[in-house]
Structure formats: C-alpha cells, structure tokens
Amino acid sequence: MSKKIALLGSTGSIGTQALDVVRAHHQEYEIVALTAGRNIDLLAQQIIEFEPRMAVLQKREDADHLKRILPPNKTLITYGEN
C-alpha cells in the first residue's frame, strides 16, 4: 500500500526535490494534493505527471487560468486558504 502525500509548495525548491523522491519511488508514494503560490505552468506539468486528486493555488484568477491550460483530467482545481 502506497503512502499518500499532500505536498505544500510543490513548485518551490523543496517541493520539486520531494517530487524527485516520489519519482524515484513511485510504487511507494501517491501524490494526492499539490499546492503552489503562483507558478502555474510548473504546477500544470506536475498535475499532468502525478494526477493528484486536488491542486490548490492562492488566487482565484490563477486557479481559473490553470483550469484553462490543463487538458481534461480528474484533478479538482481550487484556490484560497481553506
């Protein structure tokens, strides 16, 4: 059974390094949620690769933009602190 991970700050330096570990041990870990501040393009790439259940950005307009640039998928895109 894989360990489920919600990664806060997935587009930052520590977040991208954490995803490198997940890539190397993909059978042991499942990314279920990703969050990012404003790096929409990198977050889009991460969503395509890891297929999390949820992705969260700080601002509504960034979440709306992310929804427009992503191909159809099952990831819930949302925004805000909650």
Side-chain angles (χ1 to χ4, degrees), residues 19-31:
L19 290 175
D20 288 341
V21 172
V22 172
R23 278 185 198 95
H25 303 281
H26 63 274
Q27 62 276 42
E28 297 176 41
Y29 301 103
E30 176 188 357
I31 299 294

Side-chain angles (χ1 to χ4, degrees), residues 43-45 47-48 55 65-73 75 77:
L43 182 59
Q45 292 171 13
I47 290 169
I48 292 166
H65 178 70
L66 180 60
K67 290 175 188 177
R68 286 191 301 273
I69 65 171
L70 276 175
N73 64 68
T75 301
I77 308 298

Side-chain angles (χ1 to χ4, degrees), residues 30-66:
E30 176 188 357
I31 299 294
V32 295
L34 296 171
T35 72
R38 301 226 32 177
N39 194 338
I40 300 167
D41 293 332
L42 180 54
L43 182 59
Q45 292 171 13
Q46 293 171 346
I47 290 169
I48 292 166
E49 180 178 359
F50 293 99
E51 301 177 337
R53 296 177 195 164
M54 175 184 285
V56 183
L57 286 154
Q58 289 178 344
K59 296 183 177 184
R60 179 181 185 167
E61 57 268 19
D62 292 337
D64 291 342
H65 178 70
L66 180 60

